[in-house]
Amino acid sequence: MVLRAPGRPLEPADLDDPAPAAGQVLVRVAACGVCRTDLHIADGELTEPKLPLVPGHQVVGTVVADGGRFAAGDRIGIAWLGEACGRCRYCRSERENLCDDPVFTGYDRDGGYAQLAVATEAFAFPLPDGLGDLRAAPLLCAGMIGHRALRMAGDAERLGLYGFGAAAHLVCQVARHQGRRVFAFTRGDDAEAQRFARELGAEWAGDSLAPPPEQLDAAIIFAPVGALVPAALRATAKGGVVVCAGIHMSDIPSFPYEALWGERSLRSVANLTRRDGEEFLALAARVPVRTSVAEYPLEEANRALDDLRAGRLRGSAVLSVA
Ligand SMILES: [Zn+2]
Ligand SMILES: [Zn+2]
């Protein structure tokens, strides 16, 4: 499924098989998660994708032929950070997520909305057995970047999650496993999302623009809505942190300094490192994290994107690739 220009639906297309370069392997795709980032790319909010583009950066598949690190038949995952340069100041200081010259899967390089994809071996993840393809796919971005965001929340006991979608439904389970208390914030009228959050262990779920029953020690904002930033700061206690975990957000309205005063901090989380991914896959198996999946056939990728845009999903949309 190919994006030819932003703002247009993806189109089915017959492409040449991708050719792996040195250090890469060819992967037969089994499933690919649909991420809000894919929506920002398709809608033109992220402005520099390669075009035409095969989107998708939560790719689960099997290696087609023996490579250096993997053998034919190995099941691997391909995530958003397709490759980092290894030379820049960020790569040299364990911050490859901030690499100056990265290759992002499904943005700079064709991704997993297809039967075949290439992966740079050093940046792919071996996947544990026992986790089905569909359920593994959302771990590769929603889970891994959600995990990085949760780490940035420090040891916060009272954790707010703003936007209860693919990432929050995984983070909520990890946070509960760690003994944290979870407060879920959704659109005021979204009773179904609030029920879903309570099922996964949130002790409270309610309107994101209303105050929570008690103050938070940290908040993670997954929804791409700038107005949630002052709301989350107001809901957060002195010394607390508000983490913006999305790649794109509408403008943040101005707010009085008082909302930040008291040593509150506000930060973003960008991309992921390989270490984030490895840590999260191990943690997800221990919890164990259960992915709630809405399955779509590959050729219905546009319907999956529309459902994500409209907020009709519970958990993660995943494309199954025959
Ligand atoms: Zn770099
Ligand atoms: Zn993503």
Side-chain angles (χ1 to χ4, degrees), residues 92-137:
R92 286 187 283 110
S93 56
E94 293 180 40
R95 294 180 292 170
E96 64 189 7
N97 61 307
L98 301 178
C99 177
D100 283 333
D101 190 20
V103 177
F104 294 124
T105 309
Y107 191 62
D108 302 310
R109 170 191 287 171
D110 283 339
Y113 288 18
Q115 282 81 12
L116 294 167
V118 296
T120 299
E121 288 192 282
F123 286 80
F125 296 94
L127 291 177
D129 294 332
L131 192 64
D133 296 331
L134 291 171
R135 289 182 184 275

Side-chain angles (χ1 to χ4, degrees), residues 35 37 57-58 141-142 145:
C35 178
T37 297
H57 57 268
Q58 303 184 92
C141 183
I145 293 182

